[in-house]
Amino acid sequence: MFDSLVYTNGQGDGQPYAANAFSLPMNLIMVIISFLDHPADLANACRTCRVLHYMTLPQLYSNVSLKSYDYIHYQHDGRPEGCGAASPFVMGLNGLVSRNVAGYTKNFTLRGEWKEDELEEYAKVGRVPDGTMLLNCLIRLAVDKMEWLNTFRWDLNTKMMPALWHSLARRPALTQLTVKFPLTRVPRPTLIVPPMANLTILKITDIDPLCYPDDISMLIFGSKELQELILHWSPRMRNAREPSVSLNSYFGKVIAAKHRLTIKSLALHNLYARSEGNFGAMFDWTKWQELTLINSTGGLGEDGGTMFVDHDWQLNKPDPVPNLKMLRTDKISMGQCEILAKYSGLEMFYLVSAQTHSDNRINGTSKLIQNNGGIPTPTLSSPPTPHEIPALSLAKDYINNLCNFHGSTLRHLLLMPQWRLSAEDLARIIRSCPNLEQMGVGFDVTAFEFVRLMVPILQKLSAFRILDSPENPAFRDKMHQLDTGKHCAAMENEMSKLQWSSMKWVGLSDYVFEISDPIAVEQNGHGEKQEFRRKVRMINRECVKHVEIWKMDSKDI
């Protein structure tokens, strides 16, 4: 095996020329191929020679993602995709069915828009359009050949048919399932989805009781290995104040069997349903580690029209979760604040902000008033409106409970931008939470100099984000007038100091600055002395989408 030769011209006679062949061990070639992640590069490697074809083919088809368009999609040169045949979406499915390559597929994604003609005519006679049924049959044939399918994602705008559900239930290696339910009220057959033995992650999106969703109660109850559950309802019910969602529709079998789900992570998006008082009977609280509640269960400042339904959650407070490590929510309430005081050990706490700002930019031209730390000085915030006062009054309670009961373990902290913290509040956080690695807070103008002096005390802090006030855009406006070069130079002088050695990213309003590792720089150009400086540059927010205080500050799933 270690003497095998790989020929660039596809031929080998035992005496290759050095210019036409290279000799590498097969295991080393596999390591090189493993670094190829772009489908075009993998496809080109498959065409190089017979050996590379067989070695690269499994990686080429291990991740298959097909996108459908409900119109003719054109390439950059003006030619329609699939010219001379069919759309790439259909041809891709045809290749999976007709060739012996589906067995290599581990991750299978279907997304986009599937065009369905004459929906009203088919709905009148109780039929599914032939094109949609043929699509599901073709996908089922492909899935039946995927023996090692690990992840399946259905993100099409049409409904999955029962045959495809049953095919997925027979995949022994399937551990992650994501399904988007339809958002149109077109009559379609519904199914009690069968359980999947090895499923660990289940994500169901766009659930609407009036759009003929499938029944997933047996799937939730029977999938005994389930560790992460994400349920996303359509926002239509909350916007229309329509309490048509019942939790018994999803957890009724769990309650009837007196079974408790042992999931570790639960996320509920756009939930608008009554508590019914049995939420605590559905889960084994000792197993929970992560909880996400986005636009669910209500909170201070909520629309009064939804109060009568959301108020049930305040009356039927769930038991505290003793092993909870992460809490992410966009609502605050006194009940939630009190629960924080009933347990300890929280490591990540995110209060998601609903504010949206303009996109980041890289270059600036105007001047900006700066202090010694290179941080712009904003004007004082305007006073809060009357309906915001209750939410603002909870800031002290949240900070006290987080510091008193979770300070020693807290690593990530993201608070509401409406909470303009004082120097005293910041000192309390810094003193009580020595292990903070990421922090995003808003504070008064009087605390800026204090922040520059005190934040370096957090020796593990790698990401620090200053949130601007939604009510007063003065800070953000000054950032928009930023002279990038001068500001980065001022930050370089500050960040090159030893106390900032762990800092990697700094966020000012909706701008992000990246701080490099220390670089040795000669002084006076004679090479006699060297000092270590850190470069600072403005980057797009996409560059920090993996950093939690930016990644988690979103209402996306």
Side-chain angles (χ1 to χ4, degrees), residues 160-370:
M160 281 176 54
M161 294 292 105
L164 182 53
W165 278 112
H166 287 293
S167 178
L168 291 172
R170 292 194 297 268
R171 298 299 95 204
L174 185 64
T175 60
Q176 301 181 33
L177 177 63
T178 301
V179 178
K180 176 183 177 181
F181 279 1
L183 289 175
T184 56
R185 299 182 185 180
V186 178
R188 290 292 163 85
T190 58
L191 170 74
I192 298 178
V193 181
M196 301 178 187
N198 297 313
L199 192 66
T200 59
I201 299 177
L202 175 62
K203 182 189 300 184
I204 306 294
T205 66
D206 297 311
I207 305 172
D208 190 328
L210 301 184
C211 295
Y212 299 90
D214 291 313
D215 186 348
I216 60 173
S217 60
M218 182 58 72
L219 175 63
I220 294 175
F221 170 65
S223 301
K224 303 301 182 181
E225 301 296 326
L226 196 61
Q227 300 292 319
E228 182 176 347
L229 178 61
I230 301 173
L231 298 179
H232 173 275
W233 284 268
S234 168
R236 182 191 65 81
M237 285 79 72
R238 179 169 287 274
N239 295 337
R241 304 171 186 174
E242 176 191 297
S244 56
V245 175
S246 174
L247 290 178
N248 285 329
S249 301
Y250 312 97
F251 302 101
K253 290 182 172 58
V254 176
I255 298 172
K258 297 182 179 181
H259 173 70
R260 289 178 179 264
L261 297 175
T262 58
I263 62 174
K264 295 181 179 180
S265 177
L266 175 68
L268 303 176
H269 297 252
N270 303 322
L271 174 62
Y272 185 61
R274 297 188 181 277
S275 171
E276 300 176 359
N278 52 14
F279 189 76
M282 305 174 188
F283 305 97
D284 183 353
W285 298 100
T286 62
K287 303 296 184 181
W288 262 16
Q289 295 183 5
E290 299 180 358
L291 175 62
T292 298
L293 297 172
I294 300 297
N295 196 27
S296 303
T297 70
L300 290 181
E302 188 70 11
D303 181 9
T306 63
M307 175 181 178
F308 300 105
V309 173
D310 291 332
H311 190 57
D312 284 350
W313 293 92
Q314 307 300 326
L315 295 177
N316 300 294
K317 297 179 182 178
D319 298 330
V321 184
N323 298 317
L324 192 66
K325 303 300 181 183
M326 189 275 283
L327 177 60
R328 174 174 172 245
T329 181
D330 63 339
K331 308 290 184 184
I332 60 172
S333 65
M334 181 58 72
Q336 181 188 96
C337 184
E338 293 174 352
I339 291 177
L340 289 174
K342 295 182 179 180
Y343 69 101
S344 61
L346 193 66
E347 297 181 1
M348 293 164 280
F349 182 73
Y350 309 102
L351 286 181
V352 178
S353 171
Q355 63 176 340
T356 55
H357 298 322
S358 57
D359 294 334
N360 296 345
R361 65 186 177 90
I362 301 301
N363 298 316
T365 56
S366 301
K367 297 181 179 179
L368 174 69
I369 300 175
Q370 299 169 342

Side-chain angles (χ1 to χ4, degrees), residues 299-300 331-338 351 388-401 416 419:
L300 290 181
K331 308 290 184 184
I332 60 172
S333 65
M334 181 58 72
Q336 181 188 96
C337 184
E338 293 174 352
L351 286 181
E388 296 167 345
I389 293 177
L392 297 177
S393 65
L394 281 180
K396 295 285 186 181
D397 297 325
Y398 268 86
I399 292 174
N400 287 336
N401 289 344
M416 296 180 64
W419 293 353

Side-chain angles (χ1 to χ4, degrees), residues 1 7 19 37 44 47 119 152 212 232 311 328 342 355 360 367 385 397 423 426 491 497 504 535:
M1 178 182 72
Y7 295 87
D37 54 4
N44 290 333
R47 299 187 183 100
L119 281 177
F152 180 80
Y212 299 90
H232 173 275
H311 190 57
R328 174 174 172 245
K342 295 182 179 180
Q355 63 176 340
N360 296 345
K367 297 181 179 179
T385 55
D397 297 325
L426 291 169
M491 290 187 66
K497 297 178 181 178
K504 296 181 180 180
K535 297 295 183 181

